[in-house]
Amino acid sequence: MSWVAIAAVIGFVGNELVAILRLRVGREIGSAALVADGLHSQVDGFTSLGVLAGAIGVWLGFPWPTIGRIGHRSGDFY
């Protein structure tokens, strides 16, 4: 479980850093496409948090089908 949790945290942090950069630059130069790409990177980061939640749930002993549905829907909250 530990390598999945580490990968999820790295994925979230990496996507969030990329999103901040793309959003900042996109707004500075007036690029709707770059702003949209930054927002997409944020959603990818939230999905990584869903993976982390799923890994923790499985580690705590919740059944996989239940946790899998929760993790799968994590990208829908944005």
Side-chain angles (χ1 to χ4, degrees), residues 22-60:
R22 287 178 178 165
L23 288 169
R24 182 179 300 147
V25 172
R27 288 179 180 138
E28 284 177 6
I29 66 173
S31 171
L34 197 53
V35 170
D37 201 29
L39 293 172
H40 185 142
S41 293
Q42 280 186 329
V43 171
D44 287 344
F46 293 139
T47 302
S48 294
L49 290 180
V51 170
L52 179 61
I56 291 170
V58 169
W59 180 70
L60 291 174

Side-chain angles (χ1 to χ4, degrees), residues 52-76:
L52 179 61
I56 291 170
V58 169
W59 180 70
L60 291 174
F62 288 97
W64 165 245
T66 302
I67 293 300
R69 283 191 290 274
I70 293 169
H72 174 73
R73 300 297 299 198
S74 66
D76 294 345

